[in-house]
Amino acid sequence: MSFVYDPPQDAPRIIHADHEILVVNKPSGLLSVPGRGPDKADCLIERLRGAFPTILLVHRLDQDTSGVMIFGLTPHAQRSLSKQFEERRTKKAYVARVAGRLQPKTGRVDLPLIVDWPNRPRQKVDHETGKPAVTDWRVMKAEDHETRVRLSPVTGRSHQLRVHMAESGHPILGDPLYATGWAADHPRLMLHAESLRVKHPETGIQQSFNAPVPF
């Protein structure tokens, strides 16, 4: 499967900036960090580096996912935030539109994941060697053909939400890797990082950052 990288040209919207952290709303279709090859050099962190030259990576969002992404602006902030992610002390909430009627109102997907090497960047469920991956979900609005759902990842594996929804029989609409047929035929991946709560590296105060759902 080959993709032409054609990132959106609109500038990422800044949600919050201080001398320690930078929080932005990443647009769908833009890489978080540079990909392989000069054609994939354009990315969120490089677009931000001009205005924030000390910017440091903490976590990533998939190219096709939009929403809240946080960066450190000092080594201390990067270490503090990275540790919070590693120790699962952040709180992340995503909104997705998935195929079919998801039932019941709430649930949990607990399926270990590993990279599908012959089909990279795809991930797959592997009960033998996969790393633990857990996603909680809550239905926001269910219809016969699709469901709007809030997803709360307990772990942070690559493509976790996308694989978990596909494995549950309700792939995320517009997913070029895990959806097929009409479910794949959407203008973008219908997955958005709506909110992120972290402890500020300097003050120690819990802060929540939000980005409105664009679909």
Side-chain angles (χ1 to χ4, degrees):
M1 195 183 293
S2 64
F3 298 100
V4 175
Y5 181 47
D6 184 23
Q9 292 310 305
D10 33 326
R13 187 174 68 83
I14 294 171
I15 298 170
H16 172 88
D18 58 40
H19 63 285
E20 289 279 344
I21 65 173
L22 172 65
V23 187
V24 302
N25 184 0
K26 186 186 91 65
S28 174
L30 181 66
L31 288 166
S32 295
V33 296
R36 287 185 183 161
D39 59 318
K40 295 184 176 67
D42 184 13
C43 62
L44 181 61
I45 195 168
E46 291 305 324
R47 289 188 184 185
L48 294 166
R49 198 179 299 281
F52 301 94
T54 62
I55 191 168
L56 295 165
L57 188 71
V58 172
H59 68 124
R60 306 180 190 202
L61 291 178
D62 290 349
Q63 174 186 326
D64 297 322
T65 304
S66 57
V68 180
M69 193 167 164
I70 191 168
F71 297 88
L73 295 178
T74 66
H76 164 73
Q78 183 192 38
R79 283 192 301 271
S80 171
L81 293 168
S82 296
K83 192 172 182 183
Q84 291 180 56
F85 274 89
E86 287 166 18
E87 295 177 353
R88 301 177 190 172
R89 288 187 283 119
T90 62
K91 183 159 186 180
K92 298 172 276 187
Y94 292 72
V95 171
R97 288 168 54 195
V98 303
R101 183 181 285 271
L102 184 60
Q103 292 177 313
K105 287 286 187 187
T106 62
R108 166 170 281 197
V109 182
D110 186 349
L111 292 171
L113 301 176
I114 194 170
V115 65
D116 184 357
W117 279 105
N119 300 297
R120 285 175 297 173
R122 284 179 62 98
Q123 310 289 312
K124 65 178 181 178
V125 174
D126 189 319
H127 293 280
E128 298 297 318
T129 56
K131 293 181 179 178
V134 179
T135 302
D136 290 330
W137 52 264
R138 178 179 293 276
V139 170
M140 301 170 71
K141 181 183 179 184
E143 298 174 344
D144 286 342
H145 291 99
E146 75 167 72
T147 301
R148 182 176 290 265
V149 61
R150 179 163 282 115
L151 302 171
S152 301
V154 179
T155 53
R157 306 296 175 205
S158 181
H159 293 190
Q160 175 178 315
L161 302 180
R162 298 164 67 175
V163 179
H164 277 175
M165 287 296 97
E167 286 289 327
S168 68
H170 301 277
I172 297 174
L173 298 178
D175 193 328
L177 292 179
Y178 305 102
T180 57
W182 72 270
D185 189 20
H186 285 72
R188 58 157 289 181
L189 175 71
M190 298 297 173
L191 178 63
H192 177 76
E194 183 184 35
S195 67
L196 173 65
R197 191 174 77 203
V198 298
K199 186 180 284 188
H200 193 282
E202 185 177 60
T203 66
I205 295 171
Q206 291 278 355
Q207 288 186 264
S208 291
F209 303 102
N210 296 273
V213 181
F215 50 77

